[in-house]
């Protein structure tokens, strides 16, 4: 029968089309795969603090000492923006330059995919997310709850100085004074309430961003080590 090969071919075409569309939509995994992934068995720590407070700098060091996978929501959005077939490229570029919060469905989709890209890992640092209460609730409802929130406390004057300095080499569209002012507004209006809410749940670890990079990280390390000890776990240095 000639019809069977045709049906098979048609089915294959459809599958390829669906897979391509799924990649464009940012949904790299099927609904079934998402349902099966053990998100609630993972130790997720959100890393929060104003723009330029040291989230990225300290997260990178925690990767080396505790075996975290570091997922920066901003980096994931910038990568998605650059993906030639992304349908969200222009939207993300606009939101970032204006210091606004990208619709959470996009960011959560990217974070979920990125977690699923590391099935071997049980520790995740989610840096720069959630940036408002709606995002926080949506993540908890559709992915899982974070165990802790690492909060880098930093005065606005220090943030400004660091961002302007970073802007000399970062090449980022938002490390300029106009975008920085907008980011600060979003941070104080929308993101600070997230920290206040998690503090009520007793989840916040506060680290002052003042001091040298080494002293800030020492404080960060000690507090994260304390947290792991509290749940019967240890540091996991890469060198060992
Ligand atoms: N303790 C520190 N002292 C001085 N500069 C710092 C310190 N921590 C980070 N920086 C610098 O400040 C800038 C912002 O840090 P970064 O980690 O990129 O912040 P975030 O990820 O919160 O935006 C970077 O240029 C970084 O090198
Ligand atoms: O969950 C997120 C994280 C980041 N952003 C956007 O990405 C920008 C840069 O965020 P990032 O965390 O990279 O840098 P920071 O401003 O903290 O230095 C933000 O101003 C937002 O426009 C967003 O919309 N949602």
């Amino acid at each position: 029968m000639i019809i069977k090969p045709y049906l098979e071919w048609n089915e294959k075409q459809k599958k390829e089309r669906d897979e391509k569309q799924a990649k464009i939509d940012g949904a790299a995994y099927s609904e079934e795969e998402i349902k099966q992934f053990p998100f609630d068995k993972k130790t997720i720590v959100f890393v929060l603090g104003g723009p330029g407070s040291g989230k990225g700098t300290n997260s990178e060091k925690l990767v080396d000492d505790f075996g975290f996978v570091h997922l920066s929501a901003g980096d994931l959005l910038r990568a998605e923006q650059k993906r030639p077939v992304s349908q969200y490229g222009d939207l993300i570029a606009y939101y970032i330059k204006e210091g606004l919060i990208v619709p959470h469905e996009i960011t959560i989709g990217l974070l979920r995919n990125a977690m699923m890209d590391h099935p071997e890992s049980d520790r995740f640092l989610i840096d720069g997310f959630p940036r408002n209460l709606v995002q926080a609730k949506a993540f908890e409802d559709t992915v899982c709850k974070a165990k802790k929130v690492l909060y880098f406390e930093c005065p606005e004057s220090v943030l400004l100085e660091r961002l302007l300095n970073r802007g000399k080499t970062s090449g980022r569209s938002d490390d300029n004074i106009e975008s920085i002012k907008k980011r600060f507004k979003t941070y104080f209006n929308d993101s600070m309430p997230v920290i206040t809410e998690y503090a009520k749940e007793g989840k916040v670890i506060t680290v002052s961003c003042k001091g040298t990079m080494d002293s800030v990280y020492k404080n960060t390390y000690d507090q994260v080590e304390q947290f792991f000890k509290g749940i019967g776990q240890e540091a996991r240095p890469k060198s060992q």
Side-chain angles (χ1 to χ4, degrees):
M1 284 262 283
I2 195 141
I3 188 87
K4 193 168 174 255
Y6 169 74
L7 285 178
E8 277 172 7
W9 174 82
N10 201 28
E11 202 46 43
K12 194 166 161 270
Q13 288 288 101
K14 189 171 168 296
K15 195 165 169 261
E16 278 173 10
R17 217 173 38 235
D18 286 352
E19 278 171 7
K20 206 167 152 206
Q21 188 62 40
K23 287 220 169 71
I24 293 168
D25 290 346
Y29 295 95
S30 69
E31 269 182 40
E32 195 47 39
E33 285 170 314
I34 294 171
K35 219 161 75 190
Q36 298 295 331
F37 193 82
F39 289 104
D40 54 353
K41 301 267 186 312
K42 311 289 180 183
T43 300
I44 295 182
V45 175
F46 289 146
V47 185
L48 298 178
S53 57
K55 301 184 292 297
T57 303
N58 290 286
S59 293
E60 285 302 325
K61 296 180 182 179
L62 290 170
V63 167
D64 290 342
D65 289 336
F66 290 90
F68 282 105
V69 166
H70 172 213
L71 302 177
S72 154
D75 285 351
L76 289 170
L77 286 166
R78 282 182 286 273
E80 179 65 17
Q81 181 202 325
K82 285 196 198 116
R83 218 160 54 86
V85 291
S86 172
Q87 59 175 318
Y88 304 123
D90 292 344
L91 180 145
I92 294 172
Y94 174 80
Y95 273 74
I96 288 184
K97 190 144 194 291
E98 290 301 312
L100 298 168
I101 298 165
V102 171
H104 65 260
E105 292 83 355
I106 299 175
T107 316
I108 291 176
L110 293 170
L111 285 169
R112 197 174 41 206
N113 286 346
M115 282 184 71
M116 292 177 72
D117 287 342
H118 295 279
E120 76 294 347
S121 184
D122 61 345
R123 296 179 175 176
F124 290 88
L125 283 176
I126 298 197
D127 160 8
F129 177 95
R131 275 177 134 86
N132 62 24
L133 289 168
V134 173
Q135 276 189 335
K137 180 160 178 3
F139 189 86
E140 289 192 351
D141 290 349
T142 60
V143 184
C144 68
K145 282 181 188 281
K147 298 275 188 311
K148 281 281 169 191
V149 175
L150 183 57
Y151 165 49
F152 290 97
E153 190 176 40
C154 198
E156 195 174 323
S157 55
V158 177
L159 297 176
L160 178 64
E161 190 189 323
R162 288 192 190 168
L163 289 175
L164 290 174
N165 200 33
R166 187 173 74 183
K168 291 177 194 158
T169 54
S170 69
R172 277 179 49 164
S173 64
D174 59 349
D175 279 348
N176 58 75
I177 190 67
E178 291 79 23
S179 294
I180 290 169
K181 280 188 196 153
K182 293 173 184 170
R183 289 156 74 195
F184 282 173
K185 198 164 158 232
T186 302
Y187 176 67
F188 290 111
N189 288 342
D190 300 328
S191 309
M192 277 305 293
V194 176
I195 295 153
T196 310
E197 269 317 296
Y198 282 124
K200 283 186 202 157
E201 292 180 28
K203 282 190 175 172
V204 178
I205 297 172
T206 303
V207 175
S208 167
C209 80
K210 286 191 193 156
T212 63
M213 287 203 196
D214 284 350
S215 71
V216 171
Y217 182 63
K218 166 90 177 66
N219 191 359
T220 307
Y221 180 98
D222 289 346
Q223 298 219 51
V224 172
E225 185 185 42
Q226 205 57 35
F227 156 63
F228 274 118
K229 277 194 177 144
I231 58 168
Q233 295 185 24
E234 295 191 343
R236 221 180 263 163
K238 251 189 189 158
S239 50
Q240 281 184 6

